[in-house]
Amino acid sequence: MSAVLVGTSHGTDDPAGQAAVRALLDGVRAARPELDVREAFVDVQQPEVDEVLAGAVRDAGSAVVVPLLLSTGYHVRHDIAQAVAAVNASGAGVAVAAEPMGPHPLLVDILADRYAAAEAAHGPFRPDDAVVLAAAGSSVAAAATAVEEVTSALAQRLGRPVTPSYGAGAEPRVPAAVAAARAGGEPTARVIVVSYLLAPGYFLDRVLEAGADVVTDPVAGPAGAEKADPRLVQVVLERYAAAVSP
């Protein structure tokens, strides 16, 4: 029997965000129908990851927690790590934690597509328009390093500078980065924020309030998308496979 895949997201009160995560896990199930795929959360929603993980190991003997998070941080290093450690200490079976979804080249591909879709909707972006990448943020230094890696790759892809920014935990915060970009540009220049956020929810709402002229759809796509981007499904399955066969 294959290890259960426990897809673990942050959790959100936003129905569109909840639907996006469900669609992602449904995409994983469709791609690998032989896998037992279960949903868990580290905050806001139920069931919590420790409960789901314990049940998965009890049922199948082994499980892999795949963080549906775009970088490492407190939830990966504390909540998920503690849940895995508790199950392994219990002797009920074997649990492991996979790497978070980002950074990953496919995520950069998706961000470039979201940028292109925004440009198609809002008219051609000009060379003097500023681009800011907005991530959720974490006080864990490795998380900022991962965001900077994605920012650099996106800048190379777009052929223009991209400034990283954060919703919490690191600097600059998104409103400050937007304000700085506007202050440093021409009066007619626009500020485009690329949302390095998995799905609609609290952080995307804050990004939308930050004063940018254009905000791209999150990584999972526009609200209401019925199917997950197959590239996201691929990232989840790659993380799972790497954890099963390190």
Side-chain angles (χ1 to χ4, degrees):
M1 180 180 295
S2 299
V4 176
L5 190 160
V6 181
T8 303
S9 63
H10 182 276
T12 177
D13 290 326
D14 189 310
Q18 295 173 3
V21 173
R22 282 197 303 269
L24 175 54
L25 292 178
D26 285 344
V28 173
R29 294 182 182 102
R32 292 283 303 275
E34 80 283 5
L35 280 183
D36 183 349
V37 178
R38 306 187 188 187
E39 185 173 24
F41 308 93
V42 293
D43 201 358
V44 183
Q45 290 180 256
Q46 299 287 331
E48 295 181 357
V49 62
D50 52 355
E51 174 188 345
V52 175
L53 184 60
V57 169
R58 186 168 56 248
D59 294 342
S62 61
V64 175
V65 180
V66 179
L68 305 181
L69 302 165
L70 298 181
S71 63
T72 191
Y74 179 84
H75 293 304
V76 171
R77 297 190 173 199
H78 183 268
D79 297 319
I80 291 174
Q82 281 197 342
V84 167
V87 165
N88 289 331
S90 74
V94 177
V96 296
E99 294 294 318
M101 295 178 68
H104 193 289
L106 287 176
L107 297 180
V108 178
D109 291 345
I110 293 171
L111 292 175
D113 286 351
R114 301 289 177 259
Y115 176 92
E119 185 171 30
H122 295 275
F125 295 148
R126 302 184 321 197
D128 60 346
D129 290 339
V131 181
V132 174
L133 182 137
S138 170
S139 58
V140 175
T145 299
V147 170
E148 288 165 5
E149 178 180 331
V150 170
T151 302
S152 178
L154 181 62
Q156 184 173 6
R157 181 72 58 84
L158 300 181
R160 64 191 305 160
V162 179
T163 301
S165 67
Y166 306 90
E171 301 290 342
R173 300 297 171 88
V174 180
V178 170
R182 193 173 306 284
E186 296 296 326
T188 57
R190 291 177 293 183
V191 179
I192 301 111
V193 170
V194 177
S195 301
Y196 188 46
L197 303 166
L198 182 62
Y202 175 83
F203 281 116
L204 182 60
D205 289 345
R206 302 293 78 76
V207 169
L208 292 169
E209 297 169 353
D213 297 289
V214 178
V215 176
T216 71
D217 288 321
V219 172
E226 295 184 0
K227 292 186 177 181
D229 190 310
R231 293 170 293 187
L232 285 180
V233 172
Q234 182 178 338
V235 172
V236 171
L237 289 173
E238 283 185 15
R239 297 307 194 218
Y240 171 83
V244 169
S245 304

